[in-house]
Every structure is written in structure tokens, then in C-alpha cells.
Amino acid sequence: MLAVTRPLLTTVALVGLFTSGAGAALAAPAQEPGPSGPGTLVSRFDNGSFEYPVARANSFTTYQAGQFIGPWEVTAGAVDLVDDGLWQPAEGDQSLDLNASDAGAVSQTFTTTPGEAYTVTYALAGNTAGGPALKTGQVRVDGQNVQDFSFDITGRTPTAMGYIKRQVTFVATAPTTTLTFASTVGSAYGPVVDDVQVTSCSCPC
Ligand SMILES: [Ca+2]
């Protein structure tokens, strides 16, 4: 049993270093560590609404590959964390443009139970400041594409973003799973994601 759990805890500790403990959606099996907080191990899916760190007021903050947005790591290109003074988020005060100057991606690794099904829901829109009109991207689980997504910004504005809800389900194959949102459009104006939630059917559903 110890031989199984030690690698998991190592991974969890790395994730925890970049997590400040703000509340968010959960994907926590019952046996996982308790409530998160500074200095504690955090393995639950967190910051799905991209509410921290705080972006530049009435503007955005760019994060490059290798940098972290709470528990999310920028894993390709660069992305923009956007304040609600620039455009309407789906939830809270901030949202994420998956393109800074070109296609970017963010990934988060969290604890899962092998064999258990998890449902990912998210809000999708697009940066209305520039083309192409059709913003495209992928949801990936452990690097595998599990859902292509697209959003057409035609007729949308910063105050009427027109977010749509998308959903995809996966079955975990390991004690941790890495969830990625990746843009597949080359532009400085990418797909916008917000309000990502991960739930498992061991929770009430
Ligand atoms: Ca948000």
C-alpha cells in the first residue's frame, strides 16, 4: 500500500506548492487529505474559475509556458488571465484567454480514483477583439484529446460574451489525472474558458 501511495503524495506536494487554498469545485475521493490551506497538501481540483492570482485591473496578465495560475500550469505558448473590466467572465471576476500572442494551453493535475468516471464542465466563449471568428481548442486528459471545442464570436461583445456550457466525461486510469485546455487557433485572440468544474459520481450526482 505504501509503495502505491508514496509517488502520489510526491505529485500532490508539487501541486500544493502553487495552490493558495481558495475554494472551488472538487474531485476529491473520500480518503483524500482534508480541507486545503497554506502549507497543506492539496490534491483536489482547484481554481477552475481562474479567480487567482488577481489579474491586472481592467486589463489582463499574461502567463508564459512554465508559469502557474494557482494550480494550473501554462504548458504551451502563453495565455491571458483576464479581469472583468475587460470582458464579462462566466463566473466570478476573471476568465482565461487561451491565446496570448499564439495558441496556448493550461494543465492541472489532481487526485483521481482509477476506474472512476469524472465529469468536466466548463464555460466557453471567445476573445471578441480580433479574428479568426471561429475559436477552436481541445480538452485533453493525460495528453489525449477527449473533446474538440469551438466557439464563433460573430455578434458577441465584451459585455455579451455568450458563454456556452460544455461537458465531457472521462474514466481515470491512475491516482492522478492531468486535465488540459488547449487552443488550436493561431491568433492573439483565442477561445475563452471559465468556470471549469470536475465532479465524480462518488459525490452526490
Ligand atoms: Ca471566473
Short mmCIF file of all heavy atoms in Angstrom, two decimals, residues 25-27 45 48 50 72 106 108 110 112 116-124 138-142 144 146-147 149 164-172 177-181 193-201:
data_model
loop_
_atom_site.label_atom_id
_atom_site.label_comp_id
_atom_site.label_asym_id
_atom_site.label_seq_id
_atom_site.Cartn_x
_atom_site.Cartn_y
_atom_site.Cartn_z
N ALA A 25 -14.41 23.92 -7.22
CA ALA A 25 -15.05 22.63 -7.43
C ALA A 25 -14.17 21.52 -6.90
O ALA A 25 -12.99 21.69 -6.67
CB ALA A 25 -15.28 22.44 -8.93
N LEU A 26 -14.75 20.37 -6.72
CA LEU A 26 -13.99 19.28 -6.13
C LEU A 26 -14.01 18.05 -7.00
O LEU A 26 -14.86 17.86 -7.82
CB LEU A 26 -14.58 18.91 -4.77
CG LEU A 26 -15.92 18.19 -4.83
CD1 LEU A 26 -16.08 17.26 -3.64
CD2 LEU A 26 -17.07 19.19 -4.85
N ALA A 27 -13.00 17.25 -6.77
CA ALA A 27 -12.97 15.92 -7.37
C ALA A 27 -12.29 15.02 -6.37
O ALA A 27 -11.40 14.26 -6.69
CB ALA A 27 -12.22 15.94 -8.68
N PHE A 45 -9.01 19.14 -7.41
CA PHE A 45 -9.09 20.10 -8.50
C PHE A 45 -9.45 21.46 -7.92
O PHE A 45 -10.33 21.57 -7.06
CB PHE A 45 -10.15 19.65 -9.50
CG PHE A 45 -10.30 20.59 -10.64
CD1 PHE A 45 -9.41 20.54 -11.70
CD2 PHE A 45 -11.29 21.54 -10.64
CE1 PHE A 45 -9.53 21.43 -12.76
CE2 PHE A 45 -11.42 22.43 -11.69
CZ PHE A 45 -10.54 22.37 -12.75
N GLY A 48 -10.84 26.35 -10.74
CA GLY A 48 -11.46 26.12 -12.04
C GLY A 48 -12.07 27.37 -12.64
O GLY A 48 -12.33 27.42 -13.85
N PHE A 50 -10.53 30.31 -12.42
CA PHE A 50 -9.41 31.21 -12.71
C PHE A 50 -9.51 32.53 -11.92
O PHE A 50 -9.29 33.60 -12.46
CB PHE A 50 -9.32 31.48 -14.22
CG PHE A 50 -9.23 30.24 -15.04
CD1 PHE A 50 -10.34 29.74 -15.71
CD2 PHE A 50 -8.05 29.51 -15.10
CE1 PHE A 50 -10.27 28.56 -16.46
CE2 PHE A 50 -7.97 28.34 -15.84
CZ PHE A 50 -9.08 27.86 -16.52
N TRP A 72 -2.91 25.66 -11.96
CA TRP A 72 -2.80 25.47 -13.41
C TRP A 72 -1.39 25.83 -13.86
O TRP A 72 -0.89 26.90 -13.54
CB TRP A 72 -3.77 26.37 -14.16
CG TRP A 72 -5.22 26.12 -13.97
CD1 TRP A 72 -6.05 26.81 -13.12
CD2 TRP A 72 -6.04 25.17 -14.65
NE1 TRP A 72 -7.34 26.33 -13.24
CE2 TRP A 72 -7.36 25.32 -14.15
CE3 TRP A 72 -5.78 24.20 -15.61
CZ2 TRP A 72 -8.42 24.53 -14.61
CZ3 TRP A 72 -6.83 23.42 -16.06
CH2 TRP A 72 -8.13 23.59 -15.56
N VAL A 106 -3.26 25.30 -20.80
CA VAL A 106 -3.07 25.20 -19.35
C VAL A 106 -3.43 23.80 -18.90
O VAL A 106 -4.35 23.17 -19.44
CB VAL A 106 -3.91 26.23 -18.57
CG1 VAL A 106 -3.41 27.65 -18.84
CG2 VAL A 106 -5.40 26.12 -18.91
N GLN A 108 -3.78 21.08 -15.32
CA GLN A 108 -3.81 20.90 -13.86
C GLN A 108 -3.86 19.41 -13.55
O GLN A 108 -4.63 18.67 -14.16
CB GLN A 108 -5.04 21.61 -13.26
CG GLN A 108 -5.13 21.41 -11.76
CD GLN A 108 -6.22 22.20 -11.07
OE1 GLN A 108 -6.58 21.91 -9.94
NE2 GLN A 108 -6.76 23.22 -11.73
N PHE A 110 -4.56 16.53 -10.64
CA PHE A 110 -5.28 16.37 -9.38
C PHE A 110 -5.52 14.88 -9.11
O PHE A 110 -5.40 14.04 -10.01
CB PHE A 110 -6.60 17.15 -9.41
CG PHE A 110 -7.45 16.86 -10.61
CD1 PHE A 110 -8.47 15.90 -10.56
CD2 PHE A 110 -7.25 17.53 -11.80
CE1 PHE A 110 -9.25 15.63 -11.67
CE2 PHE A 110 -8.01 17.25 -12.92
CZ PHE A 110 -9.02 16.30 -12.85
N THR A 112 -7.21 11.40 -8.51
CA THR A 112 -8.37 10.66 -9.04
C THR A 112 -8.31 9.22 -8.54
O THR A 112 -7.26 8.75 -8.09
CB THR A 112 -8.37 10.66 -10.58
OG1 THR A 112 -7.07 10.30 -11.06
CG2 THR A 112 -8.75 12.02 -11.14
N GLU A 116 -12.77 5.26 -11.85
CA GLU A 116 -13.93 6.10 -11.57
C GLU A 116 -14.15 7.12 -12.69
O GLU A 116 -13.19 7.65 -13.26
CB GLU A 116 -13.71 6.83 -10.24
CG GLU A 116 -14.97 7.51 -9.73
CD GLU A 116 -14.88 7.72 -8.22
OE1 GLU A 116 -14.73 6.72 -7.49
OE2 GLU A 116 -14.91 8.88 -7.80
N ALA A 117 -15.43 7.40 -12.96
CA ALA A 117 -15.77 8.37 -14.01
C ALA A 117 -15.83 9.78 -13.44
O ALA A 117 -16.35 10.00 -12.33
CB ALA A 117 -17.12 8.00 -14.61
N TYR A 118 -15.30 10.73 -14.18
CA TYR A 118 -15.31 12.14 -13.79
C TYR A 118 -15.91 12.97 -14.92
O TYR A 118 -15.63 12.72 -16.09
CB TYR A 118 -13.88 12.63 -13.51
CG TYR A 118 -13.27 11.99 -12.29
CD1 TYR A 118 -12.67 10.73 -12.39
CD2 TYR A 118 -13.31 12.61 -11.05
CE1 TYR A 118 -12.13 10.12 -11.27
CE2 TYR A 118 -12.77 12.00 -9.93
CZ TYR A 118 -12.18 10.76 -10.04
OH TYR A 118 -11.65 10.16 -8.93
N THR A 119 -16.72 13.92 -14.52
CA THR A 119 -17.33 14.80 -15.50
C THR A 119 -16.72 16.20 -15.39
O THR A 119 -16.66 16.77 -14.30
CB THR A 119 -18.85 14.88 -15.29
OG1 THR A 119 -19.40 13.58 -15.51
CG2 THR A 119 -19.49 15.86 -16.27
N VAL A 120 -16.25 16.70 -16.51
CA VAL A 120 -15.69 18.05 -16.59
C VAL A 120 -16.74 18.94 -17.26
O VAL A 120 -17.20 18.62 -18.36
CB VAL A 120 -14.40 18.07 -17.43
CG1 VAL A 120 -13.84 19.48 -17.52
CG2 VAL A 120 -13.37 17.10 -16.86
N THR A 121 -17.12 20.01 -16.59
CA THR A 121 -17.97 21.01 -17.24
C THR A 121 -17.20 22.33 -17.28
O THR A 121 -16.37 22.59 -16.41
CB THR A 121 -19.30 21.22 -16.49
OG1 THR A 121 -19.02 21.67 -15.15
CG2 THR A 121 -20.11 19.94 -16.43
N TYR A 122 -17.47 23.12 -18.30
CA TYR A 122 -16.78 24.40 -18.42
C TYR A 122 -17.61 25.35 -19.25
O TYR A 122 -18.50 24.94 -20.01
CB TYR A 122 -15.38 24.23 -19.00
CG TYR A 122 -15.31 23.61 -20.38
CD1 TYR A 122 -15.17 24.39 -21.52
CD2 TYR A 122 -15.41 22.23 -20.54
CE1 TYR A 122 -15.10 23.82 -22.79
CE2 TYR A 122 -15.35 21.65 -21.80
CZ TYR A 122 -15.18 22.44 -22.91
OH TYR A 122 -15.13 21.87 -24.16
N ALA A 123 -17.33 26.64 -19.09
CA ALA A 123 -17.99 27.68 -19.88
C ALA A 123 -17.02 28.11 -20.97
O ALA A 123 -15.83 28.30 -20.71
CB ALA A 123 -18.35 28.86 -19.00
N LEU A 124 -17.54 28.26 -22.19
CA LEU A 124 -16.71 28.55 -23.36
C LEU A 124 -17.24 29.78 -24.08
O LEU A 124 -18.45 29.92 -24.31
CB LEU A 124 -16.73 27.34 -24.30
CG LEU A 124 -16.02 27.49 -25.64
CD1 LEU A 124 -14.51 27.60 -25.44
CD2 LEU A 124 -16.36 26.31 -26.55
N GLN A 138 -9.04 22.15 -27.65
CA GLN A 138 -9.25 20.78 -27.22
C GLN A 138 -9.22 20.69 -25.70
O GLN A 138 -8.47 21.41 -25.05
CB GLN A 138 -8.15 19.85 -27.76
CG GLN A 138 -8.14 19.71 -29.27
CD GLN A 138 -7.03 18.79 -29.76
OE1 GLN A 138 -6.09 18.49 -29.03
NE2 GLN A 138 -7.14 18.35 -31.01
N VAL A 139 -10.01 19.74 -25.18
CA VAL A 139 -9.86 19.29 -23.80
C VAL A 139 -9.06 18.00 -23.87
O VAL A 139 -9.40 17.10 -24.66
CB VAL A 139 -11.22 19.04 -23.13
CG1 VAL A 139 -11.02 18.56 -21.69
CG2 VAL A 139 -12.09 20.28 -23.17
N ARG A 140 -8.00 17.92 -23.08
CA ARG A 140 -7.17 16.72 -23.08
C ARG A 140 -7.10 16.14 -21.68
O ARG A 140 -7.06 16.88 -20.69
CB ARG A 140 -5.76 17.05 -23.57
CG ARG A 140 -5.74 17.56 -25.02
CD ARG A 140 -4.36 18.06 -25.42
NE ARG A 140 -4.41 18.70 -26.74
CZ ARG A 140 -3.52 19.59 -27.17
NH1 ARG A 140 -2.52 19.96 -26.40
NH2 ARG A 140 -3.64 20.13 -28.37
N VAL A 141 -7.09 14.82 -21.61
CA VAL A 141 -6.91 14.11 -20.35
C VAL A 141 -5.65 13.27 -20.48
O VAL A 141 -5.56 12.42 -21.37
CB VAL A 141 -8.14 13.23 -20.03
CG1 VAL A 141 -7.86 12.35 -18.82
CG2 VAL A 141 -9.35 14.11 -19.77
N ASP A 142 -4.70 13.54 -19.62
CA ASP A 142 -3.39 12.88 -19.68
C ASP A 142 -2.81 12.94 -21.09
O ASP A 142 -2.24 11.97 -21.61
CB ASP A 142 -3.50 11.43 -19.19
CG ASP A 142 -3.80 11.36 -17.70
OD1 ASP A 142 -3.43 12.30 -16.96
OD2 ASP A 142 -4.41 10.37 -17.27
N GLN A 144 -4.28 13.11 -23.93
CA GLN A 144 -5.12 12.59 -25.01
C GLN A 144 -6.30 13.54 -25.25
O GLN A 144 -6.96 13.95 -24.29
CB GLN A 144 -5.66 11.21 -24.65
CG GLN A 144 -4.59 10.17 -24.39
CD GLN A 144 -3.85 9.75 -25.65
OE1 GLN A 144 -4.45 9.61 -26.71
NE2 GLN A 144 -2.55 9.58 -25.54
N VAL A 146 -9.84 14.54 -25.62
CA VAL A 146 -11.13 13.92 -25.31
C VAL A 146 -12.30 14.75 -25.82
O VAL A 146 -13.44 14.27 -25.84
CB VAL A 146 -11.29 13.66 -23.79
CG1 VAL A 146 -10.27 12.62 -23.31
CG2 VAL A 146 -11.18 14.95 -22.99
N GLN A 147 -12.03 15.99 -26.21
CA GLN A 147 -13.11 16.81 -26.77
C GLN A 147 -12.54 17.98 -27.57
O GLN A 147 -11.76 18.77 -27.05
CB GLN A 147 -14.01 17.36 -25.65
CG GLN A 147 -15.22 18.12 -26.17
CD GLN A 147 -16.16 18.52 -25.05
OE1 GLN A 147 -15.81 19.30 -24.18
NE2 GLN A 147 -17.37 17.98 -25.05
N PHE A 149 -13.42 21.57 -29.15
CA PHE A 149 -14.46 22.58 -28.95
C PHE A 149 -14.24 23.74 -29.90
O PHE A 149 -13.13 23.96 -30.40
CB PHE A 149 -14.51 23.05 -27.49
CG PHE A 149 -13.24 23.66 -26.95
CD1 PHE A 149 -12.84 24.95 -27.32
CD2 PHE A 149 -12.45 22.97 -26.04
CE1 PHE A 149 -11.68 25.51 -26.80
CE2 PHE A 149 -11.28 23.53 -25.52
CZ PHE A 149 -10.91 24.80 -25.89
N ILE A 164 -21.19 29.42 -23.54
CA ILE A 164 -21.95 28.18 -23.61
C ILE A 164 -21.31 27.18 -22.66
O ILE A 164 -20.12 27.23 -22.39
CB ILE A 164 -21.97 27.59 -25.04
CG1 ILE A 164 -20.54 27.38 -25.57
CG2 ILE A 164 -22.76 28.50 -25.98
CD1 ILE A 164 -20.48 26.66 -26.91
N LYS A 165 -22.13 26.28 -22.14
CA LYS A 165 -21.64 25.23 -21.24
C LYS A 165 -21.28 24.00 -22.05
O LYS A 165 -22.05 23.57 -22.91
CB LYS A 165 -22.71 24.87 -20.21
CG LYS A 165 -22.74 25.80 -19.00
CD LYS A 165 -21.59 25.51 -18.05
CE LYS A 165 -21.74 26.31 -16.75
NZ LYS A 165 -20.58 26.11 -15.86
N ARG A 166 -20.11 23.47 -21.80
CA ARG A 166 -19.70 22.22 -22.43
C ARG A 166 -19.40 21.20 -21.34
O ARG A 166 -19.12 21.56 -20.19
CB ARG A 166 -18.46 22.43 -23.31
CG ARG A 166 -18.66 23.38 -24.47
CD ARG A 166 -19.67 22.88 -25.50
NE ARG A 166 -19.39 21.54 -25.98
CZ ARG A 166 -18.59 21.24 -27.02
NH1 ARG A 166 -17.99 22.21 -27.67
NH2 ARG A 166 -18.41 20.00 -27.40
N GLN A 167 -19.43 19.94 -21.74
CA GLN A 167 -19.23 18.86 -20.77
C GLN A 167 -18.54 17.69 -21.44
O GLN A 167 -18.81 17.39 -22.61
CB GLN A 167 -20.60 18.43 -20.23
CG GLN A 167 -20.57 17.24 -19.29
CD GLN A 167 -21.96 16.93 -18.76
OE1 GLN A 167 -22.68 17.83 -18.32
NE2 GLN A 167 -22.35 15.67 -18.80
N VAL A 168 -17.67 17.05 -20.70
CA VAL A 168 -17.02 15.83 -21.20
C VAL A 168 -16.74 14.93 -20.00
O VAL A 168 -16.43 15.42 -18.91
CB VAL A 168 -15.74 16.17 -22.00
CG1 VAL A 168 -14.70 16.86 -21.14
CG2 VAL A 168 -15.16 14.91 -22.63
N THR A 169 -16.85 13.65 -20.20
CA THR A 169 -16.63 12.68 -19.12
C THR A 169 -15.44 11.78 -19.47
O THR A 169 -15.26 11.42 -20.63
CB THR A 169 -17.89 11.82 -18.91
OG1 THR A 169 -18.96 12.69 -18.51
CG2 THR A 169 -17.67 10.77 -17.83
N PHE A 170 -14.64 11.48 -18.46
CA PHE A 170 -13.54 10.55 -18.66
C PHE A 170 -13.48 9.58 -17.49
O PHE A 170 -14.01 9.86 -16.42
CB PHE A 170 -12.20 11.29 -18.81
CG PHE A 170 -11.72 11.97 -17.55
CD1 PHE A 170 -10.90 11.30 -16.65
CD2 PHE A 170 -12.08 13.28 -17.27
CE1 PHE A 170 -10.46 11.92 -15.48
CE2 PHE A 170 -11.65 13.92 -16.10
CZ PHE A 170 -10.84 13.23 -15.21
N VAL A 171 -12.85 8.45 -17.71
CA VAL A 171 -12.62 7.48 -16.65
C VAL A 171 -11.15 7.52 -16.28
O VAL A 171 -10.27 7.36 -17.14
CB VAL A 171 -13.03 6.06 -17.09
CG1 VAL A 171 -12.69 5.04 -16.01
CG2 VAL A 171 -14.51 6.02 -17.43
N ALA A 172 -10.87 7.78 -15.00
CA ALA A 172 -9.49 7.88 -14.54
C ALA A 172 -8.78 6.53 -14.65
O ALA A 172 -9.39 5.48 -14.41
CB ALA A 172 -9.44 8.39 -13.11
N THR A 177 -4.65 12.60 -12.37
CA THR A 177 -5.02 12.83 -13.76
C THR A 177 -4.67 14.28 -14.10
O THR A 177 -4.83 15.18 -13.28
CB THR A 177 -6.52 12.61 -13.97
OG1 THR A 177 -6.81 11.23 -13.73
CG2 THR A 177 -6.95 12.98 -15.39
N THR A 178 -4.19 14.48 -15.31
CA THR A 178 -3.87 15.83 -15.78
C THR A 178 -4.90 16.27 -16.81
O THR A 178 -5.08 15.63 -17.84
CB THR A 178 -2.46 15.88 -16.40
OG1 THR A 178 -1.50 15.49 -15.42
CG2 THR A 178 -2.14 17.29 -16.89
N LEU A 179 -5.57 17.36 -16.49
CA LEU A 179 -6.59 17.94 -17.37
C LEU A 179 -6.00 19.16 -18.07
O LEU A 179 -5.40 20.02 -17.41
CB LEU A 179 -7.81 18.35 -16.53
CG LEU A 179 -8.94 19.06 -17.26
CD1 LEU A 179 -9.63 18.12 -18.24
CD2 LEU A 179 -9.95 19.61 -16.25
N THR A 180 -6.18 19.23 -19.37
CA THR A 180 -5.59 20.32 -20.16
C THR A 180 -6.66 20.99 -21.03
O THR A 180 -7.49 20.30 -21.63
CB THR A 180 -4.47 19.78 -21.08
OG1 THR A 180 -3.45 19.20 -20.27
CG2 THR A 180 -3.88 20.88 -21.96
N PHE A 181 -6.60 22.31 -21.07
CA PHE A 181 -7.36 23.07 -22.06
C PHE A 181 -6.34 23.71 -23.00
O PHE A 181 -5.45 24.44 -22.55
CB PHE A 181 -8.20 24.17 -21.38
CG PHE A 181 -9.41 23.62 -20.67
CD1 PHE A 181 -9.30 23.16 -19.36
CD2 PHE A 181 -10.63 23.53 -21.30
CE1 PHE A 181 -10.40 22.63 -18.70
CE2 PHE A 181 -11.74 23.01 -20.66
CZ PHE A 181 -11.62 22.55 -19.35
N VAL A 193 -12.10 30.35 -21.67
CA VAL A 193 -12.70 29.34 -20.80
C VAL A 193 -12.84 29.90 -19.38
O VAL A 193 -12.08 30.78 -18.96
CB VAL A 193 -11.91 28.01 -20.77
CG1 VAL A 193 -11.94 27.33 -22.13
CG2 VAL A 193 -10.48 28.25 -20.32
N ASP A 194 -13.82 29.38 -18.68
CA ASP A 194 -14.07 29.81 -17.30
C ASP A 194 -14.95 28.75 -16.63
O ASP A 194 -15.51 27.87 -17.30
CB ASP A 194 -14.78 31.19 -17.30
CG ASP A 194 -14.74 31.85 -15.92
OD1 ASP A 194 -14.02 31.36 -15.03
OD2 ASP A 194 -15.45 32.87 -15.75
N ASP A 195 -15.03 28.85 -15.31
CA ASP A 195 -15.96 28.03 -14.52
C ASP A 195 -15.80 26.53 -14.81
O ASP A 195 -16.77 25.82 -15.04
CB ASP A 195 -17.40 28.47 -14.79
CG ASP A 195 -18.37 27.98 -13.72
OD1 ASP A 195 -17.90 27.61 -12.62
OD2 ASP A 195 -19.58 27.96 -13.99
N VAL A 196 -14.56 26.07 -14.81
CA VAL A 196 -14.28 24.64 -15.00
C VAL A 196 -14.60 23.90 -13.71
O VAL A 196 -14.15 24.31 -12.63
CB VAL A 196 -12.80 24.40 -15.39
CG1 VAL A 196 -12.55 22.92 -15.63
CG2 VAL A 196 -12.42 25.24 -16.61
N GLN A 197 -15.37 22.85 -13.82
CA GLN A 197 -15.70 22.05 -12.64
C GLN A 197 -15.47 20.57 -12.96
O GLN A 197 -15.73 20.13 -14.06
CB GLN A 197 -17.15 22.28 -12.22
CG GLN A 197 -17.44 23.73 -11.84
CD GLN A 197 -18.86 23.92 -11.32
OE1 GLN A 197 -19.38 23.10 -10.56
NE2 GLN A 197 -19.49 25.00 -11.75
N VAL A 198 -14.97 19.87 -11.96
CA VAL A 198 -14.74 18.43 -12.11
C VAL A 198 -15.49 17.73 -10.99
O VAL A 198 -15.27 18.02 -9.81
CB VAL A 198 -13.23 18.09 -12.03
CG1 VAL A 198 -13.03 16.58 -12.18
CG2 VAL A 198 -12.46 18.84 -13.10
N THR A 199 -16.37 16.82 -11.36
CA THR A 199 -17.12 16.08 -10.35
C THR A 199 -17.03 14.59 -10.64
O THR A 199 -16.87 14.17 -11.78
CB THR A 199 -18.61 16.49 -10.35
OG1 THR A 199 -19.13 16.33 -11.67
CG2 THR A 199 -18.77 17.93 -9.91
N SER A 200 -17.10 13.82 -9.58
CA SER A 200 -17.10 12.37 -9.74
C SER A 200 -18.42 11.82 -9.22
O SER A 200 -19.07 12.44 -8.40
CB SER A 200 -15.94 11.74 -8.99
OG SER A 200 -16.22 11.73 -7.61
N CYS A 201 -18.76 10.66 -9.73
CA CYS A 201 -20.06 10.11 -9.34
C CYS A 201 -20.02 9.44 -7.98
O CYS A 201 -21.02 8.87 -7.55
CB CYS A 201 -20.58 9.18 -10.41
SG CYS A 201 -21.34 10.13 -11.75
#
